[in-house]
Amino acid sequence: MIRWLKKFINLILPPRCLICGKIIENDNALCPECFNHITFITKPYCLHCGRPLSFTNLDKDLCCPKCLTKKDSVFYLSRSAIEYDEYSKKLILDFKFSDHLENRYLLTQWLIFAGKDIFDTHPDIILPVPLHYSRLFQRKYNQSAILVRELSKKTHIPAYYNILKKCRYTKPQVICNGKQRRKNIKDAFIITNPDFVKNKNIILVDDVYTTGSTLKECAKVLKKCGAKNISTLTVARVIE
Ligand SMILES: [Zn+2]
Ligand SMILES: [Zn+2]
């Protein structure tokens, strides 16, 4: 009966590619052309920060030059599923600003795939990068929290939505350069209940990793409250 009903609904409202809108066979997916345009971040990548690497010596512990020189990174591991580029942009921006919440199913699938190394470290909790309440009011939802909800359902790792809070309104990071981004976001987050993060392995989730300023600032306050390891999991990463 349910299968029959699904066929009937598909006839009236056929599944469409989440990027170009072309009719496709399955729900919440991409057409083959759009899928081929997406650049997935696969090995070899830096085992620490997840940046794609251009060489293929897979026998060694791979590390990018930045991580080799700067060993005291605030993050334990960082992973992103895809590169943020002209093709993946629509998928992310539609999800973030245009109420295309149905994109969450595909994006969460990709997060689970990309986060394998992080899940193997037995994280205790997942936290979304929060929005300031006034921005939340404008946008109606926090895209990172939506992803975390799906991720927590699939991985059974508990998620908390009110422990890490944004206490200061900031300009959108997208209009700032690297240095301005760090300044703009400085001291913008607080932890409402330090007992929940103390000695915990934490996954911080966001949609895009650009310079990492926002994630680093979140990690900084979490560390101050005694968090053990903080890993970041993002759908897309800006590759310089
Ligand atoms: Zn398409
Ligand atoms: Zn690295």
Short mmCIF file of all heavy atoms in Angstrom, two decimals, residues 132-176:
data_model
loop_
_atom_site.label_atom_id
_atom_site.label_comp_id
_atom_site.label_asym_id
_atom_site.label_seq_id
_atom_site.Cartn_x
_atom_site.Cartn_y
_atom_site.Cartn_z
N HIS A 132 23.77 33.64 16.60
CA HIS A 132 23.28 34.60 17.57
C HIS A 132 21.75 34.63 17.48
O HIS A 132 21.20 34.44 16.37
CB HIS A 132 23.86 35.99 17.24
CG HIS A 132 23.57 37.01 18.30
ND1 HIS A 132 22.60 37.97 18.14
CD2 HIS A 132 24.11 37.20 19.53
CE1 HIS A 132 22.57 38.72 19.23
NE2 HIS A 132 23.48 38.28 20.09
N TYR A 133 21.05 34.84 18.60
CA TYR A 133 19.59 34.72 18.57
C TYR A 133 18.93 35.66 17.54
O TYR A 133 17.92 35.33 16.94
CB TYR A 133 18.99 34.92 19.97
CG TYR A 133 19.02 36.33 20.49
CD1 TYR A 133 17.98 37.21 20.22
CD2 TYR A 133 20.10 36.80 21.22
CE1 TYR A 133 18.02 38.52 20.66
CE2 TYR A 133 20.15 38.10 21.67
CZ TYR A 133 19.10 38.96 21.38
OH TYR A 133 19.16 40.26 21.80
N SER A 134 19.55 36.84 17.31
CA SER A 134 18.90 37.76 16.37
C SER A 134 19.02 37.24 14.93
O SER A 134 18.12 37.42 14.12
CB SER A 134 19.51 39.17 16.47
OG SER A 134 20.89 39.09 16.29
N ARG A 135 20.15 36.56 14.63
CA ARG A 135 20.28 35.97 13.28
C ARG A 135 19.36 34.75 13.15
O ARG A 135 18.78 34.52 12.11
CB ARG A 135 21.74 35.59 13.01
CG ARG A 135 21.92 35.07 11.62
CD ARG A 135 23.19 35.47 10.93
NE ARG A 135 23.45 36.89 10.88
CZ ARG A 135 24.66 37.40 11.04
NH1 ARG A 135 25.69 36.63 11.28
NH2 ARG A 135 24.85 38.71 10.96
N LEU A 136 19.23 34.02 14.25
CA LEU A 136 18.33 32.86 14.25
C LEU A 136 16.89 33.32 14.00
O LEU A 136 16.14 32.69 13.27
CB LEU A 136 18.44 32.15 15.61
CG LEU A 136 17.74 30.82 15.75
CD1 LEU A 136 18.32 29.79 14.78
CD2 LEU A 136 17.87 30.30 17.17
N PHE A 137 16.55 34.47 14.57
CA PHE A 137 15.22 35.02 14.39
C PHE A 137 15.00 35.39 12.92
O PHE A 137 13.95 35.11 12.35
CB PHE A 137 15.07 36.25 15.29
CG PHE A 137 13.70 36.84 15.26
CD1 PHE A 137 12.64 36.19 15.88
CD2 PHE A 137 13.46 38.03 14.59
CE1 PHE A 137 11.36 36.72 15.84
CE2 PHE A 137 12.19 38.58 14.53
CZ PHE A 137 11.13 37.92 15.16
N GLN A 138 16.03 35.98 12.29
CA GLN A 138 15.92 36.35 10.86
C GLN A 138 15.79 35.13 9.96
O GLN A 138 14.97 35.06 9.07
CB GLN A 138 17.21 37.04 10.40
CG GLN A 138 17.34 38.50 10.69
CD GLN A 138 18.80 38.95 10.48
OE1 GLN A 138 19.61 38.27 9.88
NE2 GLN A 138 19.12 40.13 10.97
N ARG A 139 16.65 34.14 10.23
CA ARG A 139 16.72 32.97 9.33
C ARG A 139 15.75 31.86 9.67
O ARG A 139 15.57 30.93 8.90
CB ARG A 139 18.14 32.39 9.38
CG ARG A 139 19.17 33.24 8.72
CD ARG A 139 20.17 32.31 8.05
NE ARG A 139 21.47 32.92 8.07
CZ ARG A 139 22.57 32.34 8.49
NH1 ARG A 139 22.54 31.09 8.92
NH2 ARG A 139 23.72 32.97 8.46
N LYS A 140 15.22 31.89 10.85
CA LYS A 140 14.26 30.90 11.37
C LYS A 140 14.89 29.57 11.81
O LYS A 140 14.30 28.82 12.56
CB LYS A 140 13.12 30.60 10.36
CG LYS A 140 12.25 31.81 10.07
CD LYS A 140 11.22 31.50 9.03
CE LYS A 140 11.86 31.48 7.69
NZ LYS A 140 11.18 31.46 6.52
N TYR A 141 16.05 29.23 11.31
CA TYR A 141 16.68 27.98 11.75
C TYR A 141 18.20 28.11 11.64
O TYR A 141 18.71 28.96 10.90
CB TYR A 141 16.19 26.80 10.90
CG TYR A 141 16.48 26.92 9.42
CD1 TYR A 141 17.64 26.38 8.87
CD2 TYR A 141 15.62 27.60 8.57
CE1 TYR A 141 17.93 26.50 7.52
CE2 TYR A 141 15.89 27.73 7.22
CZ TYR A 141 17.04 27.17 6.70
OH TYR A 141 17.31 27.30 5.36
N ASN A 142 18.89 27.24 12.39
CA ASN A 142 20.35 27.18 12.31
C ASN A 142 20.71 25.94 11.49
O ASN A 142 20.46 24.81 11.93
CB ASN A 142 20.94 27.10 13.73
CG ASN A 142 22.44 26.87 13.72
OD1 ASN A 142 23.06 26.80 12.66
ND2 ASN A 142 23.02 26.73 14.90
N GLN A 143 21.28 26.15 10.33
CA GLN A 143 21.57 25.02 9.42
C GLN A 143 22.48 23.99 10.06
O GLN A 143 22.33 22.78 9.83
CB GLN A 143 22.15 25.55 8.09
CG GLN A 143 23.59 26.00 8.10
CD GLN A 143 23.80 27.38 8.74
OE1 GLN A 143 22.85 28.04 9.15
NE2 GLN A 143 25.04 27.82 8.81
N SER A 144 23.40 24.43 10.93
CA SER A 144 24.32 23.49 11.57
C SER A 144 23.58 22.61 12.59
O SER A 144 23.86 21.42 12.70
CB SER A 144 25.44 24.23 12.28
OG SER A 144 26.09 25.06 11.36
N ALA A 145 22.62 23.21 13.27
CA ALA A 145 21.83 22.44 14.25
C ALA A 145 20.97 21.40 13.54
O ALA A 145 20.78 20.29 14.04
CB ALA A 145 20.96 23.38 15.07
N ILE A 146 20.48 21.74 12.34
CA ILE A 146 19.67 20.79 11.56
C ILE A 146 20.54 19.60 11.17
O ILE A 146 20.12 18.45 11.27
CB ILE A 146 19.11 21.47 10.29
CG1 ILE A 146 18.31 22.71 10.66
CG2 ILE A 146 18.37 20.49 9.39
CD1 ILE A 146 16.84 22.61 10.71
N LEU A 147 21.77 19.87 10.76
CA LEU A 147 22.69 18.79 10.39
C LEU A 147 23.02 17.92 11.61
O LEU A 147 23.06 16.70 11.53
CB LEU A 147 24.00 19.36 9.81
CG LEU A 147 23.91 20.01 8.43
CD1 LEU A 147 25.24 20.67 8.07
CD2 LEU A 147 23.54 18.99 7.35
N VAL A 148 23.25 18.59 12.74
CA VAL A 148 23.59 17.86 13.97
C VAL A 148 22.44 16.95 14.40
O VAL A 148 22.66 15.81 14.82
CB VAL A 148 23.97 18.85 15.10
CG1 VAL A 148 23.98 18.17 16.46
CG2 VAL A 148 25.34 19.45 14.81
N ARG A 149 21.22 17.43 14.24
CA ARG A 149 20.06 16.61 14.63
C ARG A 149 20.05 15.31 13.81
O ARG A 149 19.87 14.22 14.36
CB ARG A 149 18.78 17.42 14.40
CG ARG A 149 17.57 16.78 15.06
CD ARG A 149 16.47 17.77 15.33
NE ARG A 149 16.79 18.63 16.46
CZ ARG A 149 16.67 19.95 16.47
NH1 ARG A 149 16.26 20.58 15.39
NH2 ARG A 149 16.99 20.65 17.53
N GLU A 150 20.26 15.43 12.51
CA GLU A 150 20.28 14.25 11.63
C GLU A 150 21.45 13.33 11.97
O GLU A 150 21.33 12.13 12.02
CB GLU A 150 20.41 14.69 10.16
CG GLU A 150 19.14 15.16 9.53
CD GLU A 150 18.03 14.12 9.58
OE1 GLU A 150 18.24 12.97 9.13
OE2 GLU A 150 16.96 14.46 10.11
N LEU A 151 22.61 13.96 12.18
CA LEU A 151 23.83 13.21 12.46
C LEU A 151 23.70 12.43 13.78
O LEU A 151 24.11 11.28 13.87
CB LEU A 151 24.99 14.22 12.56
CG LEU A 151 26.40 13.70 12.38
CD1 LEU A 151 26.57 13.05 11.03
CD2 LEU A 151 27.39 14.87 12.51
N SER A 152 23.11 13.06 14.77
CA SER A 152 22.94 12.43 16.07
C SER A 152 21.98 11.24 15.96
O SER A 152 22.20 10.19 16.55
CB SER A 152 22.43 13.47 17.06
OG SER A 152 22.15 12.88 18.29
N LYS A 153 20.93 11.42 15.14
CA LYS A 153 19.96 10.33 14.92
C LYS A 153 20.65 9.12 14.31
O LYS A 153 20.42 8.00 14.70
CB LYS A 153 18.88 10.81 13.92
CG LYS A 153 17.56 11.15 14.55
CD LYS A 153 16.51 11.26 13.46
CE LYS A 153 16.00 12.67 13.35
NZ LYS A 153 15.18 12.91 12.17
N LYS A 154 21.50 9.38 13.32
CA LYS A 154 22.14 8.27 12.60
C LYS A 154 23.30 7.64 13.37
O LYS A 154 23.54 6.45 13.24
CB LYS A 154 22.70 8.77 11.25
CG LYS A 154 21.67 9.40 10.35
CD LYS A 154 21.07 8.36 9.43
CE LYS A 154 20.18 9.00 8.42
NZ LYS A 154 18.85 8.50 8.33
N THR A 155 24.04 8.44 14.15
CA THR A 155 25.24 7.90 14.81
C THR A 155 24.98 7.53 16.28
O THR A 155 25.82 6.89 16.90
CB THR A 155 26.39 8.93 14.79
OG1 THR A 155 25.93 10.11 15.49
CG2 THR A 155 26.79 9.30 13.39
N HIS A 156 23.83 7.99 16.81
CA HIS A 156 23.47 7.79 18.22
C HIS A 156 24.45 8.48 19.18
O HIS A 156 24.55 8.11 20.35
CB HIS A 156 23.37 6.29 18.57
CG HIS A 156 22.42 5.58 17.66
ND1 HIS A 156 21.07 5.80 17.66
CD2 HIS A 156 22.65 4.68 16.67
CE1 HIS A 156 20.50 5.07 16.73
NE2 HIS A 156 21.43 4.39 16.10
N ILE A 157 25.19 9.46 18.68
CA ILE A 157 26.04 10.27 19.57
C ILE A 157 25.16 11.43 20.07
O ILE A 157 24.52 12.10 19.25
CB ILE A 157 27.28 10.83 18.83
CG1 ILE A 157 28.09 9.68 18.20
CG2 ILE A 157 28.16 11.65 19.77
CD1 ILE A 157 29.14 10.14 17.21
N PRO A 158 25.10 11.64 21.39
CA PRO A 158 24.22 12.71 21.89
C PRO A 158 24.63 14.09 21.36
O PRO A 158 25.82 14.36 21.19
CB PRO A 158 24.40 12.65 23.41
CG PRO A 158 25.21 11.46 23.71
CD PRO A 158 25.84 10.95 22.46
N ALA A 159 23.61 14.91 21.13
CA ALA A 159 23.86 16.28 20.64
C ALA A 159 23.27 17.27 21.64
O ALA A 159 22.26 17.00 22.26
CB ALA A 159 23.20 16.46 19.29
N TYR A 160 23.95 18.40 21.79
CA TYR A 160 23.45 19.46 22.66
C TYR A 160 23.39 20.76 21.87
O TYR A 160 24.32 21.08 21.14
CB TYR A 160 24.35 19.63 23.90
CG TYR A 160 24.34 18.41 24.79
CD1 TYR A 160 25.41 17.52 24.80
CD2 TYR A 160 23.25 18.15 25.62
CE1 TYR A 160 25.40 16.41 25.62
CE2 TYR A 160 23.23 17.03 26.43
CZ TYR A 160 24.30 16.16 26.43
OH TYR A 160 24.29 15.05 27.22
N TYR A 161 22.30 21.48 22.07
CA TYR A 161 22.08 22.67 21.24
C TYR A 161 22.20 23.99 21.99
O TYR A 161 22.22 25.03 21.38
CB TYR A 161 20.70 22.57 20.57
CG TYR A 161 20.57 21.30 19.76
CD1 TYR A 161 20.05 20.13 20.33
CD2 TYR A 161 21.04 21.24 18.45
CE1 TYR A 161 19.99 18.96 19.60
CE2 TYR A 161 20.97 20.07 17.72
CZ TYR A 161 20.45 18.93 18.31
OH TYR A 161 20.40 17.77 17.59
N ASN A 162 22.26 23.91 23.32
CA ASN A 162 22.28 25.16 24.09
C ASN A 162 23.48 25.30 25.01
O ASN A 162 23.49 26.17 25.87
CB ASN A 162 20.99 25.28 24.92
CG ASN A 162 19.80 25.46 24.00
OD1 ASN A 162 19.80 26.33 23.12
ND2 ASN A 162 18.81 24.60 24.16
N ILE A 163 24.47 24.46 24.84
CA ILE A 163 25.65 24.53 25.71
C ILE A 163 26.64 25.56 25.17
O ILE A 163 27.19 26.37 25.90
CB ILE A 163 26.32 23.15 25.82
CG1 ILE A 163 25.41 22.22 26.61
CG2 ILE A 163 27.69 23.26 26.47
CD1 ILE A 163 25.96 20.85 26.79
N LEU A 164 26.85 25.49 23.86
CA LEU A 164 27.72 26.47 23.20
C LEU A 164 26.81 27.53 22.61
O LEU A 164 25.95 27.23 21.78
CB LEU A 164 28.52 25.75 22.10
CG LEU A 164 29.40 26.60 21.20
CD1 LEU A 164 30.51 27.30 22.00
CD2 LEU A 164 30.04 25.73 20.11
N LYS A 165 26.98 28.77 23.08
CA LYS A 165 26.08 29.84 22.61
C LYS A 165 26.86 31.01 22.05
O LYS A 165 27.97 31.31 22.51
CB LYS A 165 25.21 30.33 23.77
CG LYS A 165 24.04 29.43 24.03
CD LYS A 165 22.97 30.16 24.80
CE LYS A 165 21.66 29.41 24.71
NZ LYS A 165 20.61 30.06 25.46
N LYS A 166 26.25 31.68 21.09
CA LYS A 166 26.87 32.89 20.56
C LYS A 166 26.30 34.06 21.35
O LYS A 166 25.10 34.30 21.33
CB LYS A 166 26.57 33.03 19.06
CG LYS A 166 27.42 34.08 18.42
CD LYS A 166 27.45 33.95 16.93
CE LYS A 166 28.43 34.94 16.36
NZ LYS A 166 28.34 35.02 14.91
N CYS A 167 27.19 34.75 22.07
CA CYS A 167 26.70 35.79 22.98
C CYS A 167 26.82 37.19 22.39
O CYS A 167 26.38 38.15 23.00
CB CYS A 167 27.46 35.70 24.30
SG CYS A 167 29.24 35.84 24.06
N ARG A 168 27.47 37.29 21.24
CA ARG A 168 27.69 38.62 20.66
C ARG A 168 27.32 38.59 19.19
O ARG A 168 27.65 37.63 18.48
CB ARG A 168 29.17 38.99 20.84
CG ARG A 168 29.54 40.36 20.39
CD ARG A 168 30.93 40.73 20.92
NE ARG A 168 32.00 39.93 20.37
CZ ARG A 168 32.50 40.06 19.15
NH1 ARG A 168 32.00 40.97 18.33
NH2 ARG A 168 33.49 39.30 18.73
N TYR A 169 26.60 39.64 18.74
CA TYR A 169 26.25 39.71 17.32
C TYR A 169 27.50 40.11 16.52
O TYR A 169 28.22 41.01 16.92
CB TYR A 169 25.14 40.76 17.12
CG TYR A 169 24.65 40.82 15.70
CD1 TYR A 169 23.68 39.92 15.24
CD2 TYR A 169 25.16 41.75 14.80
CE1 TYR A 169 23.24 39.95 13.94
CE2 TYR A 169 24.72 41.78 13.49
CZ TYR A 169 23.76 40.89 13.06
OH TYR A 169 23.32 40.91 11.77
N THR A 170 27.76 39.41 15.42
CA THR A 170 28.94 39.74 14.61
C THR A 170 28.53 39.96 13.16
O THR A 170 27.50 39.45 12.72
CB THR A 170 29.98 38.60 14.65
OG1 THR A 170 29.34 37.39 14.21
CG2 THR A 170 30.53 38.38 16.04
N LYS A 171 29.38 40.69 12.45
CA LYS A 171 29.14 40.88 11.00
C LYS A 171 29.25 39.51 10.33
O LYS A 171 30.01 38.67 10.81
CB LYS A 171 30.23 41.77 10.39
CG LYS A 171 30.12 43.23 10.71
CD LYS A 171 31.20 44.01 9.96
CE LYS A 171 32.56 43.83 10.61
NZ LYS A 171 33.64 44.61 10.09
N PRO A 172 28.56 39.29 9.18
CA PRO A 172 28.75 38.00 8.51
C PRO A 172 30.22 37.80 8.14
O PRO A 172 30.85 38.72 7.60
CB PRO A 172 27.87 38.12 7.25
CG PRO A 172 26.91 39.22 7.54
CD PRO A 172 27.61 40.15 8.47
N GLN A 173 30.78 36.63 8.46
CA GLN A 173 32.19 36.35 8.19
C GLN A 173 32.52 36.50 6.70
O GLN A 173 33.65 36.83 6.34
CB GLN A 173 32.54 34.93 8.64
CG GLN A 173 32.59 34.75 10.14
CD GLN A 173 33.83 35.36 10.79
OE1 GLN A 173 33.92 36.59 10.93
NE2 GLN A 173 34.76 34.53 11.17
N VAL A 174 31.53 36.25 5.86
CA VAL A 174 31.76 36.25 4.41
C VAL A 174 32.23 37.61 3.89
O VAL A 174 32.91 37.70 2.87
CB VAL A 174 30.48 35.71 3.70
CG1 VAL A 174 29.38 36.74 3.67
CG2 VAL A 174 30.80 35.18 2.32
N ILE A 175 31.93 38.69 4.62
CA ILE A 175 32.36 40.01 4.15
C ILE A 175 33.74 40.41 4.72
O ILE A 175 34.23 41.50 4.47
CB ILE A 175 31.31 41.13 4.43
CG1 ILE A 175 31.04 41.27 5.95
CG2 ILE A 175 30.02 40.89 3.67
CD1 ILE A 175 30.24 42.52 6.30
N CYS A 176 34.35 39.54 5.51
CA CYS A 176 35.65 39.84 6.12
C CYS A 176 36.77 39.03 5.48
O CYS A 176 36.54 37.91 5.01
CB CYS A 176 35.64 39.50 7.61
SG CYS A 176 34.31 40.24 8.55
#
